[in-house]
């Protein structure tokens, strides 16, 4: 893409849209916008619909000095995904901030479990040797060539993103639909996908959790804080089950035990991490009764879990461990409730 074509992406904005641009030097960090859980699919011409991906949120900052990949809690991801850094460095545009999701695939479905093999590796050569192919799906542009674009409408930002970057290698554009949200949701669930993200077409980009972005999930999943583990029994090694919870204000609320979803590598790795965090007293405010053989740990680890439903007393039914997250602070983990 030529410099002339890149310049035209901004020039093609309407006079009103150009008034919403703000001249600004590129910031070191922007807090990402987050979606709110919603329980009913809908169709509305004032909204757009994107495929929900099961990966790691990432903001990419490109300047003439290079590319920085940052997780949603401001940690560098450059060493974990060097091929994505290289692809973004090949973009002719020297000044942008884009928002997206890093994923790995199992067949045609994004797989958080498969991405686990890359997430916790901080050596570029080791990361590439895993053989796990990763892709960076971009869905928003927050800064472009000396302009803060966050005040532009959502649909306009998507158009600006699509018309600006070349999308080299494993960097891809996340397309959207403008209608038939209910039909798209049913189709996503039928195909075994995560669900949809619905976004208000005229909304600005806000560094907060906002009802202008709604996530519609085909199954129940969320992050939870690990606050303890039980001793292994039988042939199981390292630990038996995880004790997990979520925050209400400053209190960590107990959500139950999780005893499935672990292979031997996970048992060994997670067990080793937890033993280094052991403490004498429970971090939970309300764990009753205390499971037999429990070991308490500092609430520093965040996991991703699938489950069938919440019970009336705030416990998980049929929970299953999916993987460990390193892109979210424990104190951010709250129970997701549909709005």
């Amino acid at each position: 893409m030529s410099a002339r074509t890149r310049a035209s992406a901004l020039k093609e904005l309407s006079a009103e849209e150009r008034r919403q641009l703000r001249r600004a030097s590129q910031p070191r960090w922007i807090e990402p916008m987050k979606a709110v859980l919603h329980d009913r699919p809908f169709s509305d011409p004032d909204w757009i619909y994107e495929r929900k991906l099961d990966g790691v949120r990432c903001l990419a900052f490109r300047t003439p000095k290079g590319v920085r990949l940052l997780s949603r809690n401001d940690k560098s991801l450059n060493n974990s995904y060097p091929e994505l850094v290289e692809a973004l460095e090949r973009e002719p545009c020297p000044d942008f901030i884009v928002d997206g999701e890093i994923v790995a695939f199992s067949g045609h479905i994004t797989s958080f479990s498969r991405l686990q093999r890359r997430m916790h590796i901080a050596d570029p050569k080791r990361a590439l040797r895993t053989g796990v192919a990763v892709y960076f799906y971009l869905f928003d542009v927050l800064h472009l060539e000396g302009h803060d674009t966050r005040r532009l409408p959502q649909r306009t930002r998507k158009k600006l993103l699509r018309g600006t970057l070349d999308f080299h290698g494993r960097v891809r554009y996340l397309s959207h639909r403008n209608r038939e949200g209910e039909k798209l949701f049913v189709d996503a669930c039928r195909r075994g996908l995560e669900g949809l993200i619905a976004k208000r077409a005229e909304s600005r980009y806000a560094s907060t959790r906002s009802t202008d972005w709604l996530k519609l999930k085909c199954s129940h999943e969320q992050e939870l804080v690990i606050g303890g583990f039980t001793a292994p029994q039988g042939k199981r090694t390292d630990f038996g089950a995880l004790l997990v919870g979520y925050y209400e204000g400053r209190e960590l609320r107990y959500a139950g035990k999780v005893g499935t979803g672990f292979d031997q590598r996970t048992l060994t790795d997670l067990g080793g991490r937890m033993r280094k965090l052991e403490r004498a007293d429970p971090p939970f405010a309300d764990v009753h009764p205390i499971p037999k053989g429990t070991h308490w740990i500092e609430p520093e680890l965040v996991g991703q879990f699938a489950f069938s439903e919440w019970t009336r007393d705030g416990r998980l039914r049929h929970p299953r461990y999916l993987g460990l997250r390193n892109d979210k602070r424990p104190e951010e983990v709250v129970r997701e409730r549909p709005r």
Side-chain angles (χ1 to χ4, degrees), residues 156-312:
T156 302
R157 297 198 309 273
K158 293 278 289 187
K159 182 179 179 181
L160 194 61
L161 171 65
R162 186 70 181 94
T164 297
L165 301 187
D166 284 353
F167 298 97
H168 291 288
R170 292 177 179 168
V171 176
R172 299 179 175 179
Y173 174 76
L174 183 61
S175 60
H176 66 277
R177 300 287 184 88
N178 294 310
R179 58 184 183 273
E180 297 186 324
E182 292 157 314
K183 181 180 178 181
L184 291 170
F185 179 77
V186 170
D187 183 63
C189 296
R190 179 184 59 80
R191 295 165 58 196
L193 306 181
E194 281 288 295
L196 296 181
I197 300 291
K199 298 180 177 180
R200 197 182 301 274
E202 294 300 310
S203 64
R204 297 178 175 182
Y205 190 98
S207 293
T208 186
R209 191 174 296 279
S210 171
T211 52
D212 285 336
W213 285 12
L214 300 175
K215 50 186 171 183
L216 301 153
K217 295 183 176 182
C218 293
S219 60
H220 295 293
E221 283 187 22
Q222 80 155 80
E223 302 101 347
L224 292 163
V225 178
I226 302 172
F229 62 95
T230 62
Q233 297 183 2
K235 296 182 179 180
R236 175 72 69 87
T237 66
D238 296 283
F239 64 89
L242 303 177
L243 279 66
V244 300
Y246 56 90
Y247 277 96
E248 282 188 356
R250 296 184 178 181
E251 291 188 328
L252 185 62
R253 295 291 180 183
Y254 182 59
K257 294 193 303 179
V258 183
T260 62
F262 314 108
D263 57 20
Q264 187 56 52
R265 181 170 58 182
T266 301
L267 289 168
T268 302
D269 177 69
L270 185 53
R273 291 172 184 261
M274 292 192 296
R275 285 190 291 274
K276 295 177 182 178
L277 297 173
E278 286 199 52
R279 56 185 271 177
D281 58 323
F284 301 103
D286 58 345
V287 53
H288 299 291
I290 298 175
K292 184 178 180 181
T294 292
H295 298 251
W296 306 114
I297 66 171
E298 297 292 339
E300 297 180 11
L301 301 176
V302 176
Q304 185 83 9
F305 299 87
F307 56 98
S308 60
E309 63 179 349
W310 288 97
T311 66
R312 290 185 177 180

Side-chain angles (χ1 to χ4, degrees), residues 67-224:
V67 170
R68 293 182 300 125
L69 301 181
L70 295 175
S71 69
R72 63 181 175 180
N73 57 343
D74 196 15
K75 292 184 178 180
S76 176
L77 301 178
N78 283 42
N79 289 338
S80 297
Y81 310 106
E83 66 270 56
L84 302 183
V85 173
E86 180 182 358
L88 289 168
E89 286 178 341
R90 291 173 55 200
E91 289 288 347
C93 183
D95 178 15
F96 59 78
I97 301 173
V98 290
D99 192 356
E101 189 97 353
I102 297 174
V103 302
F105 281 91
S106 177
H108 70 285
I109 299 173
T110 56
S111 171
F112 184 75
S113 297
R114 184 165 174 78
L115 188 63
Q116 284 279 296
R117 294 173 57 187
R118 292 287 297 267
M119 282 178 61
H120 305 290
I121 298 177
D123 176 80
K125 292 182 180 179
R126 279 189 58 210
L128 294 173
R129 283 200 300 267
T130 64
V132 176
V134 294
Y135 301 86
F136 192 12
Y137 279 83
L138 304 182
F139 50 70
D140 218 322
V141 56
L142 317 184
H143 182 96
L144 181 61
E145 295 184 328
H147 294 86
D148 186 335
T149 60
R150 288 174 287 175
R151 296 182 183 183
L152 292 172
Q154 174 71 77
R155 192 176 274 137
T156 302
R157 297 198 309 273
K158 293 278 289 187
K159 182 179 179 181
L160 194 61
L161 171 65
R162 186 70 181 94
T164 297
L165 301 187
D166 284 353
F167 298 97
H168 291 288
R170 292 177 179 168
V171 176
R172 299 179 175 179
Y173 174 76
L174 183 61
S175 60
H176 66 277
R177 300 287 184 88
N178 294 310
R179 58 184 183 273
E180 297 186 324
E182 292 157 314
K183 181 180 178 181
L184 291 170
F185 179 77
V186 170
D187 183 63
C189 296
R190 179 184 59 80
R191 295 165 58 196
L193 306 181
E194 281 288 295
L196 296 181
I197 300 291
K199 298 180 177 180
R200 197 182 301 274
E202 294 300 310
S203 64
R204 297 178 175 182
Y205 190 98
S207 293
T208 186
R209 191 174 296 279
S210 171
T211 52
D212 285 336
W213 285 12
L214 300 175
K215 50 186 171 183
L216 301 153
K217 295 183 176 182
C218 293
S219 60
H220 295 293
E221 283 187 22
Q222 80 155 80
E223 302 101 347
L224 292 163

